[in-house]
């Protein structure tokens, strides 16, 4: 599939899809507390998405059974919400969500601590987020796609963390997953040249231990093979001739307020 360049009309729709998803994430973040089930998060997330007139893009995507991917501790991504998985003080939880607004997708993920978490867990979450910002320093017309990948991977590996290799970021638009694939590690080629109007979901997934992952028997939940903690951070990004525009992040995140 070729990489699509979005028109200004499409960009406006993607901006709105992004703004709505940012609100959903911020509202989920403040609702998180110990004692909540991962299904409670999914229910609230779906309700919020629909309240803004959007469709939850993950629901029924290749058979995925929920609207929000909720991944706890050693779960990397695609955790399936259930009533009996109860968040405990000290857990870290990654929330990944996508919405469709008038046919256009946005996709974003955040990792939060539940109550007090260890200093090591806080650092993992912080470095994962920072690795995204290292990557997007290169997200500009004329640079190459794998400049982003290398910056993310080098930054996270500099802390001794494992950068997940089996899952990647992706183009996004009228489909949740479009070309190109965006690895989070150093590639020995340059990748495509970035052009204004490309929209990319850039999403480092970082393990405190090794980079290897396994799929659970539910065929969805990805866990770190060594069961070390894992964090995820993702925004939908518009490439321009100058600075990238973060479609799913316009203001402070809840923990920054
Ligand atoms: N944000 C996820 C990704 O880009 C999408 C989850 S796929 C689903 O990989 F099926 F879980 F929805
Ligand atoms: Co994604």
């Amino acid at each position: 599939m070729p990489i699509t360049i979005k028109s200004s009309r499409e960009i406006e729709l993607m901006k709105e899809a992004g703004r709505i998803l940012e609100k959903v994430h911020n509202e989920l973040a403040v609702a998180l507390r110990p004692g909540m089930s991962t299904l409670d998060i999914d229910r609230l997330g779906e309700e919020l998405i629909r309240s803004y007139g959007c469709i939850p893009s993950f629901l029924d995507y290749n058979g995925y059974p929920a609207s929000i991917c909720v991944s706890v501790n050693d779960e990397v991504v695609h955790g399936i919400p259930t009533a009996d998985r109860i968040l405990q003080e000290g857990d870290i939880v990654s929330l990944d969500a996508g919405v469709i607004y008038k046919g256009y997708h946005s996709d974003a993920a955040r990792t939060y601590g539940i109550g007090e978490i260890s200093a090591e867990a806080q650092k993992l979450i912080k470095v994962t987020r920072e690795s995204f910002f290292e990557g997007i320093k290169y997200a500009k017309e004329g640079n190459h796609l794998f400049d982003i990948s290398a910056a993310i991977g080098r930054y996270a590996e500099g802390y001794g963390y494992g950068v997940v290799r089996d899952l990647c970021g992706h183009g996004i638009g009228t489909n949740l997953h479009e070309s190109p694939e965006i690895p989070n590690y150093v590639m020995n080629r340059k990748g495509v040249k970035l052009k204004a109007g490309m929209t990319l979901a850039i999403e480092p997934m970082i393990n405190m231990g090794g980079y290897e992952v396994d799929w659970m028997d539910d065929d969805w939940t990805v866990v770190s093979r060594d069961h070390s903690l894992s964090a995820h951070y993702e925004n939908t990004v518009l490439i321009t001739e100058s600075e990238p525009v973060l479609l799913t992040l316009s203001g402070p995140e809840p923990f920054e307020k």
Side-chain angles (χ1 to χ4, degrees), residues 57-69 77-79 96-98 106-109 167-170 172 176-177 201 203 205 220 232 234:
S57 55
F58 296 0
L59 187 60
D60 293 328
Y61 182 85
N62 291 336
Y64 184 75
S67 299
I68 316 287
C69 296
V77 287
H78 304 168
D96 189 355
S106 58
D107 185 6
L167 296 137
C168 293
H170 49 93
I172 180 168
L176 173 58
H177 293 134
E203 50 178 319
M205 290 152 267
W220 279 105
H232 185 198
E234 175 182 29

Side-chain angles (χ1 to χ4, degrees), residues 37-255:
S37 75
T38 56
L39 186 64
D40 292 334
I41 298 170
D42 179 60
R43 294 253 165 86
L44 175 59
E46 178 170 359
E47 203 174 285
L48 288 166
I49 291 168
R50 294 198 192 279
S51 77
Y52 292 117
C54 290
I55 298 167
S57 55
F58 296 0
L59 187 60
D60 293 328
Y61 182 85
N62 291 336
Y64 184 75
S67 299
I68 316 287
C69 296
V70 185
S71 308
V72 184
N73 294 337
D74 64 332
E75 295 171 355
V76 179
V77 287
H78 304 168
I80 298 177
T82 60
D84 57 11
R85 185 78 194 250
I86 307 296
L87 297 180
Q88 317 276 348
E89 172 109 13
D91 285 343
I92 68 169
V93 59
S94 300
L95 306 184
D96 189 355
V99 311
I100 310 171
Y101 175 76
K102 297 188 177 170
Y104 284 83
H105 288 251
S106 58
D107 185 6
R110 306 280 185 261
T111 301
Y112 303 109
I114 303 300
E116 285 284 301
I117 60 170
S118 69
E120 294 76 28
Q122 276 176 33
K123 185 173 160 201
L124 175 72
I125 293 171
K126 180 166 177 275
V127 168
T128 301
R129 181 174 181 277
E130 287 169 351
S131 75
F132 167 88
F133 287 97
E134 287 298 313
I136 64 162
K137 287 181 181 168
Y138 299 87
K140 181 189 277 201
E141 176 159 299
N143 286 341
H144 290 91
L145 182 66
F146 297 155
D147 296 339
I148 300 173
S149 304
I152 292 171
R154 285 209 179 93
Y155 185 78
E157 281 172 3
Y159 287 85
Y161 294 147
V163 177
V164 174
R165 304 174 83 87
D166 289 342
L167 296 137
C168 293
H170 49 93
I172 180 168
T174 52
N175 297 290
L176 173 58
H177 293 134
E178 299 186 356
S179 293
E181 276 205 346
I182 311 171
N184 294 304
Y185 47 88
V186 177
M187 303 287 287
N188 65 1
R189 44 210 159 90
K190 291 181 163 180
V192 295
K193 235 186 191 181
L194 298 173
K195 286 206 185 77
M198 288 180 177
T199 45
L200 307 175
I202 300 173
E203 50 178 319
M205 290 152 267
I206 311 291
N207 297 343
M208 197 179 277
Y211 68 81
E212 299 90 345
V213 298
D214 284 307
W215 269 258
M216 303 286 280
D217 288 336
D218 63 17
D219 287 337
W220 279 105
T221 312
V222 180
V223 296
S224 59
R225 182 164 294 167
D226 59 11
H227 299 292
S228 62
L229 293 178
S230 187
H232 185 198
Y233 188 83
E234 175 182 29
N235 284 299
T236 299
V237 174
L238 170 68
I239 303 298
T240 75
E241 285 158 18
S242 57
E243 293 312 300
V245 182
L246 303 187
L247 303 186
T248 47
L249 184 65
S250 63
E253 294 178 64
F255 58 85

